[in-house]
Amino acid sequence: MTASESPRLPRVRASELTGRGWLNTGGRDLTLADLRGKIVLLDFWTFCCINCLHVLDELRDLEHRYADELVIVGVHSPKFTHEAEPDALAAAVERYGVAHPVLDDADMTTWTAYTARAWPTLVVIDPEGYVVAQLAGEGHAPSLAALIEDLITEHETKGTLHRGDGPYVSPEPPSTTLRFPAKAIELTGGTLLVADAGHHSLAELAPDGETLVRRIGSGERGATDGAPDEASFNEPNGLCLVPPELRRSLGYDVVVADTVNHLLRGVRLDDGHVSTVAGSGRPYRVGAPDNTAPEAPGPLGQNLSSPWDVAWVPRMGGFLVAMAGTHALWEFDGEQGHIWHVAGTMNEGLVDGELTQAWFAQPSGLAVGEPGQVWLADAETSALRLVHMTGGFEGEVSTAVGQGLFEFGHRDGTAGTAGTEPLLQHPLGVCLLPDGSVAVADTYNGAVRRYDPITREVTTLATGLAEPSDVLVAGGRLLVVESTAHRLTAVQIGHELTHDGAAHHVQRPVAEVGEQVELRVLFTPAPGTKLDDRFGPATQLSVSATPPSLLAWGHGEETDLRRTLHLTEGQGVLHVSARAAACDADPAVEFPACHLAQQDWGIPVRVAAGGEAELTLPLFG
């Protein structure tokens, strides 16, 4: 497809919005007829997905800029079983500041009607009720803005555009000391510093874990540096104490993973002053040519992507950063003034091996163990991983618990036992216990789990918790950050139980395909851009499968966006990753702006006689 072709689809009537119920509408059920006359943007998301959270943030500006013409509707189609619970979805909508109607698509009815294949997927519906575009992945705000402008002009001329307020009804937020706390650390003297994500600030609590001592941050979303009542954060997560010997030279005592701002912040504890220590504030785009800013060399000119946790690693001599947005680990050295990518291919998945060749999936929690060892909560693979540094930036990654992107559950047992492997469900936090074992905040199971590295046994320490997002040992107690209960809770160590819950595999609509399938990724550059092949092939397509035996031929990485796949009998998941580079089309522009479009799909398939012989996936610039 060339740059001159329109990204719009043939005129097809939009399917009705059908689900279990609605949020942010004041109790009212919406239909497409209610939205006639508005430009409607459907955002198919699930709240575990980091790319979906990026899109939520990207849409805020469009939502504000086109408030009179545009209605965004979030269609929540869940991956994990926990995400299908109504209370969990309601909490997520509040936690992430979703300011538009949300359809609870628990059974994925609307997902299926719109043939969505990936989280996130965006569908644009014109004021007359026709689908005009479907896009997968993140980074589409400029293209969407151009399309919305065209639709406004077109339908204003036709008289089919109705301006005015949309159907969003803002809920009344409750008042609590903490609001969706994310991570916590113990400070000298026994007080606790909490990343109070829902309040976009840090809260220092007394050793009792309840009494507020002070707050650092204004409470408004933002990235302002300065005094504690002036500074601002945007959903902060990980916290890490700076080694005492470095605090004077660095000028701060705590490093904060300021997740939605794509920044690392430094906090000086004596006066609460906040400064930005790494990150440009722009999101990192894999393969893009502009991930560093020449006008701001060093850490402040580097694009980051949703840093979720930070840990000081003595053997590395720097801070290890769990970069959830690009499924990678980075290293930050404040003394030397650099930050760089040290582990992970930036592909999403569960692959062990050398640091640079390993695959992660939203790494979200870090805990330093024995010299050179870092335990990692790998959220999207429901896994506990171990990073072993052998020296400098060399080392290996292994998996203690976890099987892949689509396998999860709450089951105890001994790792390595065929058929009864222990299972987690989207863990976000991890810490070392005094006996050398590992405690895991098993977030979507509402539990704290314990892993013994010697026996490889997994047990359950506590259940019935409200989305525990972190665990820490403080004051001789094991504290749990209960995110959706908005509190810290103490859990006893030593009273373990064995849980033998169900094992789950992500259930999504399965595409029936033939033994030979023609895979096509259709790339549509954004308006005003064209494919950029100045420095080599502009496109790349990677295909693999789970299990690997499903794909007899057609796996691997090539530059052509078309591929013939030969499948064996059975059922599994096709993993497709596509990239395409596009730049400004105007030849008069000396330094054209460029952008790399990237999308990953996990497509459940079943090989059957008479199944589909063609699989087409849209990729927009």
Side-chain angles (χ1 to χ4, degrees):
M1 189 173 285
T2 66
S4 62
E5 292 180 282
S6 169
R8 301 205 191 171
L9 302 174
R11 283 176 68 82
V12 175
R13 276 285 179 190
S15 298
E16 191 52 80
L17 304 177
T18 304
R20 183 167 57 186
W22 288 84
L23 294 86
N24 286 351
T25 62
R28 175 189 175 194
D29 288 345
L30 296 181
T31 67
L32 282 176
D34 298 325
L35 304 176
R36 193 62 54 83
K38 295 284 191 180
I39 300 165
V40 178
L41 173 57
L42 304 182
D43 173 21
F44 288 86
W45 68 300
T46 185
F47 65 79
C48 72
C49 165
I50 192 66
N51 307 94
C52 299
L53 302 186
H54 289 171
V55 168
L56 282 177
D57 201 54
E58 291 171 0
L59 295 181
R60 295 185 202 280
D61 177 63
L62 295 178
E63 204 160 34
H64 175 74
R65 199 188 327 172
Y66 302 107
D68 286 341
E69 302 91 0
L70 174 69
V71 172
I72 296 175
V73 174
V75 181
H76 187 266
S77 308
K79 171 185 174 181
F80 290 100
T81 54
H82 174 73
E83 293 175 295
E85 298 174 8
D87 290 345
L89 174 56
V93 168
E94 183 186 343
R95 177 202 303 267
Y96 297 118
V98 180
H100 50 251
V102 174
L103 173 66
D104 183 358
D105 185 29
D107 296 323
M108 304 188 81
T109 304
T110 300
W111 166 283
T112 303
Y114 282 87
T115 63
R117 295 188 184 274
W119 291 286
T121 291
L122 301 171
V123 176
V124 181
I125 302 171
D126 73 13
E128 295 179 285
Y130 290 96
V131 174
V132 293
Q134 182 164 332
L135 308 87
E138 59 180 280
H140 298 300
S143 300
L144 287 169
L147 178 56
I148 291 167
E149 291 284 357
D150 287 348
L151 289 172
I152 289 174
T153 300
E154 175 186 342
H155 289 275
E156 208 162 35
T157 302
K158 294 172 67 174
T160 50
L161 180 69
H162 299 163
R163 298 179 184 272
D165 293 336
Y168 170 66
V169 177
S170 175
E172 189 67 33
S175 177
T176 53
T177 300
L178 301 177
R179 201 74 194 144
F180 301 109
K183 305 280 187 183
I185 56 174
E186 185 179 26
L187 302 179
T188 304
T191 60
L192 301 162
L193 189 65
V194 181
D196 196 4
H199 285 142
H200 309 293
S201 62
L202 309 181
E204 185 175 353
L205 304 181
D208 63 9
E210 297 180 5
T211 306
L212 182 65
V213 176
R214 63 169 169 169
R215 188 171 293 279
I216 299 173
S218 66
E220 300 295 326
R221 288 183 186 268
T224 303
D225 290 340
D229 57 345
E230 300 170 347
S232 55
F233 299 88
N234 197 344
E235 297 178 28
N237 273 273
L239 305 167
C240 180
L241 281 171
V242 175
E245 65 272 17
L246 295 180
R247 293 175 188 174
R248 181 179 296 274
S249 61
L250 293 181
Y252 48 88
D253 308 288
V254 177
V255 177
V256 182
D258 194 6
T259 304
V260 178
N261 278 329
H262 310 293
L263 298 174
L264 297 181
R265 316 291 292 281
V267 177
R268 196 166 59 216
L269 290 174
D270 62 355
D271 61 358
H273 186 273
V274 178
S275 58
T276 299
V277 299
S280 66
R282 296 182 299 274
Y284 185 100
R285 304 292 187 198
V286 179
D290 58 350
N291 278 318
T292 56
E295 70 275 9
L300 295 178
Q302 176 66 58
N303 295 0
L304 308 179
S305 184
S306 296
W308 208 277
D309 204 5
V310 188
W312 171 259
V313 182
R315 175 165 292 185
M316 192 172 65
F319 297 95
L320 191 65
V321 182
M323 205 70 72
T326 52
H327 317 296
L329 302 179
W330 287 52
E331 187 260 354
F332 168 60
D333 187 329
E335 278 197 307
Q336 298 298 319
H338 66 237
I339 184 168
W340 49 31
H341 168 218
V342 295
T345 62
M346 295 195 272
N347 291 314
E348 184 179 20
L350 186 72
V351 177
D352 292 336
E354 295 181 7
L355 291 182
T356 56
Q357 300 303 311
W359 290 29
F360 301 101
Q362 290 179 216
S364 300
L366 301 171
V368 178
E370 296 180 2
Q373 292 189 349
V374 180
W375 293 95
L376 184 150
D378 207 24
E380 275 296 284
T381 53
S382 298
L384 174 65
R385 316 281 297 275
L386 177 62
V387 179
H388 185 73
M389 302 279 188
T390 57
F393 301 115
E394 296 182 354
E396 294 186 344
V397 179
S398 60
T399 298
V401 181
Q403 298 182 36
L405 284 166
F406 304 103
E407 290 76 29
F408 59 91
H410 188 171
R411 186 170 66 195
D412 291 330
T414 303
T417 306
T420 57
E421 285 275 2
L423 296 169
L424 310 170
Q425 186 180 181
H426 199 79
L428 291 178
V430 62
C431 78
L432 269 291
L433 296 176
D435 65 356
S437 62
V438 183
V440 180
D442 192 6
T443 309
Y444 286 1
N445 280 326
V448 175
R449 314 288 291 283
R450 176 181 175 272
Y451 173 74
D452 187 329
I454 304 299
T455 65
R456 303 187 68 192
E457 185 180 10
V458 176
T459 53
T460 297
L461 294 177
T463 59
L465 301 167
E467 289 193 19
S469 56
D470 198 18
V471 281
L472 68 153
V473 175
R477 303 178 297 166
L478 177 61
L479 295 181
V480 182
V481 180
E482 272 197 278
S483 186
T484 55
H486 319 296
R487 67 189 179 198
L488 305 187
T489 302
V491 168
Q492 285 189 315
I493 304 174
H495 296 274
E496 299 173 52
L497 54 94
T498 300
H499 193 100
D500 188 19
H504 298 283
H505 186 90
V506 173
Q507 295 298 316
R508 286 184 286 161
V510 177
E512 291 199 342
V513 297
E515 292 185 353
Q516 180 169 309
V517 177
E518 296 298 320
L519 172 65
R520 296 191 307 157
V521 176
L522 299 181
F523 175 60
T524 305
T529 68
K530 65 178 182 179
L531 280 173
D532 177 28
D533 55 5
R534 294 173 299 160
F535 308 106
T539 58
Q540 184 181 88
L541 177 64
S542 176
V543 182
S544 60
T546 302
S549 59
L550 176 69
L551 194 56
W553 188 84
H555 59 276
E557 190 173 280
E558 297 178 6
T559 58
D560 194 349
L561 292 182
R562 300 178 67 122
R563 183 90 55 90
T564 300
L565 308 180
H566 293 271
L567 307 175
T568 60
E569 293 183 0
Q571 182 172 328
V573 178
L574 284 176
H575 304 288
V576 180
S577 179
R579 299 179 184 178
C583 288
D584 289 339
D586 186 352
V589 177
E590 184 177 1
F591 299 105
C594 300
H595 177 68
L596 186 79
Q598 176 175 348
Q599 178 59 34
D600 300 320
W601 294 269
I603 307 167
V605 297
R606 179 187 301 113
V607 180
E612 295 180 44
E614 185 175 287
L615 188 60
T616 302
L617 304 173
L619 176 67
F620 289 86

